[in-house]
Amino acid sequence: MESPHLKSVREKIARAQSHFDAINSALRLTLSSKPEAESVTIDVKGEGQHAISKFRKVEPIDPSLPMMIGDCIHNLRSALDHVAFQLAVVNGKSSGAAEKTMFPVCLAKSGDNGFNKRVERTLKPFISSAALAEIEKLQPYKAYSVPNQADLWILHNLDIIDKHRLLIIARDQFAATRFWYNIEGAGSGNVVIPEPNWKTMEDGAEIIRFRVTGGPPRKYNMEMKIEATRSVQLINTDLVCDGMPVTDVINQMMELVKAIVRDLGKSFFGE
């Protein structure tokens, strides 16, 4: 049973999920084409007749995408601070006192930015020693052999970056995942591509090609609708996530935050 103490935490995660869904929608392409547009047919010697669809011109990425990514990341990071607040509340602290709490993310135990110093005034006075010990176990320097590659560290720093500037993304590749076709005199179909082929997204790039069989080679009157997905990468963050698909990065952080909330919920909130 979910604890009411973690209601706002899960609302933050749900909001992050909503942004993540919007990000995925923004990266999903639905392309309709006719023979006189992107879709053409050609004879390929020795291979028969093929239908080919190409990008005439690649459309720009949704300009709101960096903001959706930043909002998603911020809600995930905020969920952890909400957990710290609720750990203080269940430890008997007043709301005013609990508002001084935060969920630390540290690369080392000691030093100016180390865990010990960070929690001295913002966490240790408010939550139980058992809860503090559990939070320390989650720290990059405790849980990872290379602390600055930890998903928690990436989440923490992407949130900081987004507070000062928009996150920078670069378009990389695309892959057709499904297509529908209707060929006059030759039938129609709906095909799911089980192993999408990733290609560089650029003007003139071939989206899809399939062979047309039956009858002598000729030009067909054909319409296609193609569903594809884009892959965009985070760049210029100076973090290990540079060059990684943004959806993979967010998904990893989403699963991490959900796991942290689940485990702390069981240990300290009676879930």
Side-chain angles (χ1 to χ4, degrees), residues 174-179 193 195-198 207-208 226-229:
F174 75 95
T177 56
R178 185 172 186 165
F179 70 95
I193 302 172
E195 296 182 3
N197 182 24
W198 290 95
I207 304 169
I208 199 168
I226 306 163
E227 186 172 274
T229 185

Side-chain angles (χ1 to χ4, degrees), residues 77-217:
R77 182 63 182 90
S78 295
L80 297 178
D81 286 334
H82 278 233
V83 170
F85 172 83
Q86 292 301 331
L87 284 169
V89 171
V90 297
N91 196 40
K93 304 301 179 183
S94 67
S95 295
E99 285 174 359
K100 298 176 184 179
T101 60
M102 46 79 75
F103 192 103
V105 180
C106 305
L107 290 179
K109 183 178 180 66
S110 57
D112 289 342
N113 293 311
F115 183 81
N116 288 344
K117 190 166 185 178
R118 293 287 303 277
V119 304
E120 192 63 34
R121 294 183 180 180
T122 61
L123 202 59
K124 191 175 181 180
F126 307 107
I127 70 175
S128 69
S129 57
L132 184 64
E134 287 301 312
I135 288 177
E136 185 176 12
K137 289 179 184 178
L138 297 168
Q139 295 304 302
Y141 70 88
K142 277 280 190 179
Y144 295 82
S145 57
V146 184
N148 65 2
Q149 293 183 10
D151 291 333
L152 189 59
W153 181 250
I154 294 170
L155 172 62
H156 176 69
N157 281 276
L158 288 179
D159 185 45
I160 291 173
I161 291 171
D162 187 66
K163 290 176 183 176
H164 300 281
R165 64 171 170 85
L166 285 178
L167 290 165
I168 301 173
I169 57 174
R171 181 169 52 230
D172 181 33
Q173 295 180 312
F174 75 95
T177 56
R178 185 172 186 165
F179 70 95
W180 297 259
Y181 65 88
N182 183 30
I183 305 174
E184 185 179 9
S188 60
N190 175 2
V191 180
V192 175
I193 302 172
E195 296 182 3
N197 182 24
W198 290 95
K199 303 175 185 179
T200 301
M201 193 160 187
E202 58 189 1
D203 291 355
E206 183 177 298
I207 304 169
I208 199 168
R209 171 194 295 247
F210 63 92
R211 187 173 179 177
V212 180
T213 60

